[in-house]
Amino acid sequence: MKVKIRKGDTVEVIAGRDKYKRGEVIKVLPNERRVVVQGVNIRKKHQSEIQAQGRNLQPGIIEFEAPIDISNVMLVCPSCDEPTRVKIQREIDRVARICKKCGSEIA
Ligand SMILES: [Zn+2]
């Protein structure tokens, strides 16, 4: 199955701890079928002071977004502002994603 979600899309979480949260996709991991969504699935990591590329990073708690399964998010249509399924429409030079709710193309 093709991944229909792209970097920069807005998605809504439909399952799990962050259900109903929306955010922008900041990374797509197609091989793992996972996405990283801004502000979703926040994990905290304790970081001791380390040296990286000559800089000292401050020790403390680092918050970062962990990847979540792509089946747990739905693309939000920018036209109707609803989480929706998309229909793939093949055109000569590109593939268009069409919102199944309102029929608009999702850029
Ligand atoms: Zn729509």
Side-chain angles (χ1 to χ4, degrees), residues 77 80 99 102:
C77 170
C80 62
C99 169
C102 70

Side-chain angles (χ1 to χ4, degrees), residues 5 7 39-41 44 51 61 67 74 76 81 85-86 90-91:
I5 289 170
K7 189 179 166 184
V40 169
N41 205 21
K44 290 187 169 83
Q51 271 204 309
I61 297 168
M74 246 179 155
V76 173
D81 198 39
R85 294 182 186 283
V86 292
R90 284 178 200 290
E91 294 176 5

Side-chain angles (χ1 to χ4, degrees), residues 58-77:
Q58 290 301 306
I61 297 168
I62 291 177
E63 292 195 346
F64 66 104
E65 286 98 347
I68 59 168
D69 201 281
I70 217 158
S71 63
N72 288 345
V73 300
M74 246 179 155
L75 189 60
V76 173
C77 170

Side-chain angles (χ1 to χ4, degrees), residues 2 8 18 41-42 45 54 56 63 69 80 101:
K2 269 214 109 154
D18 287 322
N41 205 21
I42 298 286
K45 191 163 73 177
N56 279 317
E63 292 195 346
D69 201 281
C80 62
K101 284 197 172 141

